[in-house]
């Protein structure tokens, strides 16, 4: 019996990779994507809903399935303000999660960030940590939090800071051992497939996967 996957944030760097994995898999017979703007992606399995993310009532009845994946994320620079950033990285993921749990979805998987902490002095990491804490309160069968380090992949937009970070990390990546392994850059494909693979394990409870664990999950599943 095939499952139905629900994904938000499918147009982003990791989300687009995860969407490909979901659509090409035999595990999911149907993939529902919630977007703010329609895309040109077409696939027999894909059902795309263009909804108002600021109005949960506009989409809650459309949430039907087994596993929800959240790949939403932006930057403060792109969002424009801290409030706009919070919407994308905190409020939208939590609102969708609340709607999902009310609709009987069993599993919720989300991309967070290495260093996420609700008490951090860094606004970005504090917001990610707050999101994790809000999700932890919800009665899903399974919640999987993925905390990747710097993501490697071809972005649609150019981010100078991240490109410089990639360059430096690639040169000095060999020194990221022990506790520093979680800060080593990781390819978005590995993150996407780790999310996919973990959802098939039917885990129970609240789980956090640091960047080095994400890489191990991918390696174990693709030997």
């Amino acid at each position: 019996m095939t499952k139905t996957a629900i994904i938000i944030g499918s147009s982003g760097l990791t989300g687009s990779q995860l969407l490909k994995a979901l659509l090409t898999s035999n595990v999911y017979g149907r993939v529902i994507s919630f977007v703010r703007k329609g895309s040109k992606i077409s696939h027999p399995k894909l059902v795309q809903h263009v909804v108002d993310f600021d109005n949960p009532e506009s989409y809650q009845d459309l949430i039907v399935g087994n596993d929800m994946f959240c790949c939403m994320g932006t930057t403060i620079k792109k969002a424009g303000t801290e409030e706009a950033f919070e919407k994308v990285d905190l409020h939208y993921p939590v609102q969708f999660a609340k709607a999902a749990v009310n609709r009987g979805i069993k599993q919720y998987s989300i991309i967070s960030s290495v260093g996420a902490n609700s008490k951090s002095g860094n606004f970005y990491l504090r917001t990610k940590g707050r999101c994790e804490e809000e999700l932890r309160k919800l009665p899903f069968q399974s919640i999987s939090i993925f905390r990747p380090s710097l993501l490697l992949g071809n972005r649609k937009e150019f981010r100078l800071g991240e490109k410089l970070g990639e360059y430096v990390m690639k040169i000095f990546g060999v020194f990221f051992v022990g506790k520093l392994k979680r800060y080593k850059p990781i390819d978005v494909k590995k993150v996407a497939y780790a999310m996919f693979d973990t959802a098939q394990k039917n885990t129970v409870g609240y789980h956090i996967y640091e960047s080095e664990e994400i890489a191990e999950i991918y390696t174990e599943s693709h030997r």
Side-chain angles (χ1 to χ4, degrees):
M1 181 178 177
T2 57
K3 298 194 293 182
T4 294
I6 303 163
I7 181 171
I8 52 176
S10 62
S11 63
L13 186 64
T14 309
S16 59
Q17 286 287 335
L18 178 56
L19 181 61
K20 290 178 184 177
L22 296 172
L23 291 175
T24 56
S25 165
N26 292 325
V27 176
Y28 296 99
R30 191 170 185 235
V31 179
I32 301 173
S33 175
F34 287 90
V35 296
R36 285 178 286 184
K37 295 180 181 179
S39 73
K40 296 180 181 179
I41 299 175
S42 178
H43 191 280
K45 291 184 183 180
L46 182 62
V47 177
Q48 190 177 96
H49 294 306
V50 180
V51 298
D52 179 4
F53 279 37
D54 290 312
N55 180 16
E57 291 184 359
S58 71
Y59 60 73
Q60 58 186 10
D61 290 341
L62 300 174
I63 295 177
V64 180
N66 306 96
D67 307 329
M68 177 173 276
F69 300 89
C70 177
C71 299
M72 294 196 72
T74 186
T75 62
I76 297 176
K77 181 179 179 180
K78 186 175 180 180
T81 65
E82 289 186 347
E83 290 76 15
F85 172 80
E86 277 190 345
K87 264 193 176 185
V88 177
D89 282 63
L90 171 59
H91 300 307
Y92 291 159
V94 172
Q95 286 172 1
F96 267 94
K98 288 179 177 178
V101 79
N102 288 335
R103 295 286 292 172
I105 303 302
K106 300 298 183 183
Q107 297 195 85
Y108 187 92
S109 303
I110 185 173
I111 297 177
S112 184
S113 171
V114 62
N117 188 327
S118 63
K119 295 179 176 59
S120 173
N122 178 282
F123 177 76
Y124 177 87
L125 297 179
R126 186 167 67 251
T127 303
K128 290 292 189 181
R130 288 173 60 201
C131 181
E132 291 183 7
E133 288 191 353
E134 288 300 311
L135 292 174
R136 190 165 197 161
K137 299 174 185 177
L138 301 178
F140 285 102
Q141 171 186 298
S142 173
I143 298 179
S144 297
I145 308 290
F146 295 83
R147 291 179 176 174
S149 183
L150 180 67
L151 294 170
L152 302 177
N154 296 316
R155 296 186 182 277
K156 294 178 181 178
E157 74 275 9
F158 179 77
R159 298 180 182 177
L160 177 60
E162 289 190 353
K163 284 299 179 183
L164 291 175
E166 285 182 23
Y167 180 73
V168 172
M169 293 288 198
K170 284 179 180 178
I171 294 176
F172 297 102
V174 67
F175 299 107
F176 286 80
V177 295
K179 292 183 178 180
L180 293 178
K181 284 179 68 176
R182 69 185 50 179
Y183 299 102
K184 186 176 181 180
I186 185 168
D187 192 282
V188 294
K189 183 177 180 180
K190 293 184 178 181
V191 179
Y193 275 94
M195 293 180 76
F196 175 92
D197 294 333
T198 301
Q200 313 321 313
K201 296 178 181 179
N202 295 314
T203 58
V204 176
Y206 182 89
H207 302 274
I208 294 176
Y209 301 95
E210 299 289 354
S211 204
E212 73 274 23
E213 295 173 288
I214 295 172
E216 289 173 3
I217 293 171
Y218 176 82
T219 300
E220 290 176 3
S221 301
H222 294 80
R223 283 176 177 168

